[in-house]
Amino acid sequence: MEKNIILKVENLNVDFGEDKVIEDLSFDLKEKELLVVLGPNGAGKSTLLKTLLGLIPYQGKIQWRDSVHIGYVPNEFVVPENLPLNLKEFFQFKKDTPEKIFQALKWVGIEGSEKILKKKLYTFSSGQLRRTLIAWAMSDEPDVLFLDEPMLYIDIHGRETIYDSLVKIWEEKEQSIILVSHEIGEICKKADKILALNKRKLFYGTPEEIINPQNLAKIYGSPISL
Amino acid sequence: MDLQFLYSLIVSIFIGGVAGYLGSLMVTKRMALVGDALGHAALPGIALALIYGFNPSWGAIPALLLGILLIWFFEIHTKLPMEALTGIVFTASVAIAFLFLPESEVSTALIGDISKISLSDAVFSVILSLTVFFILKKNFSKMILASLSEDLARVEHVDTKKYNFIFLLCIAIIVALGIKVTGSLLMGALVITPAAAARNIASNLFQYSFGALIIGAISCVSGVLLFKAFSLPAGPFVILAASSMFLISLAFKKQ
C-alpha cells in the first residue's frame, strides 16, 4: 500500500441474501482527503460505510493502514425521550474531560459552558444533536471521520452551519473524511474525490470531473439542476 | 430483633437495591418487561425447589440460565425481537411449572416468602447481589451507549453480543434472588418501578441509576417491615411501597 493511503478497497461485494447491495467496488482514501459518496436513496451508501467499519460481512478486500482510529456519525441516532443523559455524561463514554468537550464543541460551533454540560441530550434540537454527535466523534481526534448523511432531518440554516463546521474541521485538522450524502451540496465542490454509487461504482474522480448535468442525470436517474 | 428477621432485612436491602440499579438499564434498553417474563420463566425451577424443600432461588437459577440461553440462542438464529422470544420461553415455562407445582405451594411460588432465610442463604444473596452490582457498574456506560446505537458502540470497540449476554446473566441472577422477596408474579415490578420513579426525578444518569438503587432498597425494607408488623406476605408490600414512591415521584417530575 502506498505511504499516504489510509484505506484501500478492492472488488468489494456485499449482499443481503439474493439482494446485491454493493457490486465489485474499488477505491482508496488518502491522508487528509475528503471523499464524498453520492447516490440516490437505496444506492448502498450507508451499507458501504458500515461495511468499511466492519459492521457488515462482505466479500473482497478492505485494507486499512495499521492502527487507524475512526470516528463515526451514524445517520440514525435517537435519544429516548426522558432519558436523563446529559451532554457531559455522553462525552464521558469517551472519558473526555470538560476541557476536551469544550474544544470539540467549539469545532462544531457550539459555545461550551457549565450549563450546556448539564443539558439533557433529548432536549436538543435535531441540528444541535447532529453537531454534538460530530463533536463527540471528533473529540478523540480520529484519523478518519465517517459521516453518514449528517444533514438528515436538518433545516437549510442548520445544514449551512454543519457544512461550515465540517469544512473548517477538514481544513484545520489532519483528518480524512468520508461523507455520505444523497444530495449535491456545497461540500461536494470542496471534496478531493467524489464516489458516485448506485449499487456499483458509477463515477469516481474529482468534483470537476463528476459534477455536471449529464453525470448527475445518470446518477439520480433524472435531470438535476445545479 | 430476631436473627431471621435481620437476615430478611439485609437480603432484601441488597436485592432490592441492585434490582433497582439493574432496572435503570433495563428501562433504558426497553427491556422492562423482560424481568417480569423471566420471573415466570423461573417457575419450573421454583416448583422443583418447593417440592424437594430447598431455597427457591437455587431452583430458579438453573431454570433462568436455561431460559436466557434459549432466548440468546433464538435471538442469534432468528433475529426476532428479544421481547417476542422472551414471551415464547416464559409462557412455555409457566405451562411446564403448572403441570407439577403442588397447589399448596402456588402462593409461595407466585408472591414469595422472605420469612425463612438461613445465614448461608443471606451470605450467598449478598455476595451475588454485590457481584452483579459491580459488573453492571463497570460496564454501565458501555451498555447505555449500545442501547443508544449498537453500530456506534461497535465502532467504539464495544462487543455488543458479549455485553448483551452479560446483561441477561445479571438479570437472571437478580430475578432468581428477587423471587425470594416478591415471588415470580411480582418480580418485574421490583426492577421496573424503582427505575421509573428515579427517571422522573433524575437530572442525569448517575442520579437515575443510583436513585433507582435507593428506591429499590427502601421499597424492600418498607415491605419487610410491613410484613413483620402485619404478618402478611412481604412481596405485595414491597411492590406497593415502590408504587407509592413512583406516585410521589410524579409530583417532583423534572422536565
Side-chain angles (χ1 to χ4, degrees):
Chain A
M1 202 150 73
E2 286 169 46
K3 204 182 164 193
N4 66 339
I5 290 181
I6 288 186
L7 165 71
K8 196 170 180 65
V9 177
E10 288 177 283
N11 309 111
L12 182 71
N13 285 279
V14 179
D15 49 60
F16 296 148
E18 297 283 293
D19 190 14
K20 280 191 182 301
V21 187
I22 295 172
E23 277 185 73
D24 201 27
L25 183 66
S26 300
F27 67 94
D28 53 41
L29 180 74
K30 295 187 178 69
E31 281 173 2
K32 204 172 160 41
E33 189 170 69
L34 171 59
L35 172 69
V36 175
V37 182
L38 273 185
N41 289 331
K45 307 182 299 292
S46 296
T47 304
L48 172 64
L49 277 205
K50 287 184 182 184
T51 309
L52 298 178
L53 290 167
L55 303 174
I56 292 177
Y58 60 91
Q59 297 92 47
K61 201 169 167 188
I62 297 175
Q63 203 181 349
W64 284 98
R65 196 170 71 187
D66 285 345
S67 55
V68 172
H69 176 48
I70 296 167
Y72 174 48
V73 178
N75 63 5
E76 283 288 338
F77 186 79
V78 180
V79 181
E81 182 88 1
N82 202 18
L83 178 69
L85 168 68
N86 66 30
L87 189 124
K88 188 178 177 185
E89 288 171 322
F90 181 55
F91 275 81
Q92 275 169 356
F93 291 142
K94 292 202 171 207
K95 302 191 178 7
D96 286 336
T97 58
E99 292 73 33
K100 261 194 144 180
I101 301 170
F102 290 153
Q103 188 187 40
L105 291 175
K106 202 175 162 193
W107 290 329
V108 294
I110 297 176
E111 188 70 41
S113 65
E114 281 300 319
K115 198 178 161 195
I116 201 158
L117 287 181
K118 289 179 185 163
K119 198 172 169 186
K120 291 174 188 170
L121 239 53
Y122 75 86
T123 64
F124 282 31
S125 68
S126 306
Q128 228 178 358
L129 188 60
R130 277 273 120 185
R131 281 192 282 158
T132 302
L133 205 52
I134 294 170
W136 187 84
M138 299 256 321
S139 66
D140 48 0
E141 310 225 5
D143 303 304
V144 185
L145 191 58
F146 278 62
L147 298 145
D148 192 356
E149 304 268 16
M151 310 308 156
L152 210 62
Y153 314 123
I154 310 292
D155 60 29
I156 290 173
H157 174 69
R159 285 172 191 221
E160 281 173 10
T161 317
I162 293 175
Y163 275 136
D164 290 345
S165 304
L166 280 177
V167 170
K168 198 166 143 246
I169 288 164
W170 175 63
E171 284 172 349
E172 286 178 9
K173 301 259 155 210
E174 289 303 312
Q175 280 148 341
S176 306
I177 298 179
I178 301 186
L179 171 83
V180 158
S181 177
H182 69 274
E183 60 182 61
I184 326 293
E186 278 300 302
I187 203 155
C188 288
K189 293 175 189 162
K190 300 236 179 203
D192 293 298
K193 289 270 178 66
I194 304 270
L195 171 64
L197 199 66
N198 199 351
K199 302 206 180 215
R200 59 189 178 80
K201 184 163 75 183
L202 295 177
F203 301 104
Y204 179 50
T206 62
E208 295 76 29
E209 291 165 343
I210 310 291
I211 309 290
N212 61 57
Q214 294 79 19
N215 287 350
L216 292 178
K218 199 169 173 189
I219 297 167
Y220 291 96
S222 59
I224 302 274
S225 56
L226 288 168
Chain B
M1 192 189 287
D2 69 281
L3 266 180
Q4 179 63 64
F5 178 64
L6 186 67
Y7 295 155
S8 303
L9 212 52
I10 292 169
V11 164
S12 62
I13 288 173
F14 277 86
I15 295 174
V18 181
Y21 189 78
L22 173 76
S24 67
L25 266 171
M26 290 174 72
V27 171
T28 303
K29 288 167 82 74
R30 295 183 180 275
M31 287 172 68
L33 291 174
V34 170
D36 205 24
L38 283 178
H40 292 68
L43 268 173
I46 299 171
L48 283 176
L50 292 172
I51 290 168
Y52 292 104
F54 58 93
N55 184 337
S57 293
W58 310 143
I61 286 176
L64 279 168
L65 288 178
L66 181 66
I68 63 156
L69 273 173
L70 283 173
I71 294 167
W72 189 62
F73 178 81
F74 290 151
E75 196 206 5
I76 287 173
H77 287 86
T78 65
K79 306 278 178 207
L80 282 167
M82 195 179 274
E83 56 177 5
L85 298 170
T86 309
I88 293 168
V89 172
F90 105 72
T91 46
S93 304
V94 173
I96 292 167
F98 275 91
L99 287 178
F100 59 88
L101 180 66
E103 213 169 300
S104 57
E105 302 287 5
V106 168
S107 165
T108 307
L110 293 182
I111 58 171
D113 181 4
I114 191 93
S115 64
K116 297 178 198 110
I117 289 189
S118 65
L119 177 63
S120 59
D121 284 346
V123 170
F124 271 118
S125 299
V126 168
I127 290 173
L128 272 179
S129 302
L130 283 175
T131 307
V132 168
F133 172 72
F134 285 115
I135 290 173
L136 291 174
K137 189 171 178 294
K138 186 169 184 286
N139 299 304
F140 194 85
S141 64
K142 287 176 183 157
M143 289 177 178
I144 290 278
L145 182 62
S147 75
L148 291 173
S149 166
E150 195 164 322
D151 285 347
L152 203 57
R154 285 176 63 191
V155 172
E156 294 296 323
H157 310 292
V158 176
D159 184 343
T160 51
K161 275 201 184 94
K162 185 180 98 181
Y163 283 107
N164 278 343
F165 186 71
I166 292 174
F167 186 54
L168 276 175
L169 209 59
C170 290
I171 296 173
I173 293 170
I174 291 304
V175 167
L177 296 176
I179 277 164
K180 191 79 185 155
V181 184
T182 65
S184 62
L185 195 63
L186 299 172
M187 184 53 219
L190 194 59
V191 287
I192 300 169
T193 315
R199 190 133 157 178
N200 280 336
I201 53 176
S203 296
N204 53 49
L205 273 187
F206 179 81
Q207 287 180 9
Y208 171 42
S209 53
F210 280 87
L213 183 147
I214 291 166
I215 293 170
I218 292 174
S219 302
C220 281
V221 171
S222 312
V224 173
L225 290 173
L226 288 166
F227 144 76
K228 182 77 174 167
F230 296 103
S231 298
L232 286 167
F237 282 133
V238 168
I239 302 309
L240 285 175
S243 305
S244 306
M245 277 188 268
F246 173 74
L247 289 176
I248 293 167
S249 75
L250 290 177
F252 299 97
K253 191 172 180 337
K254 295 202 171 171
Q255 292 307 310

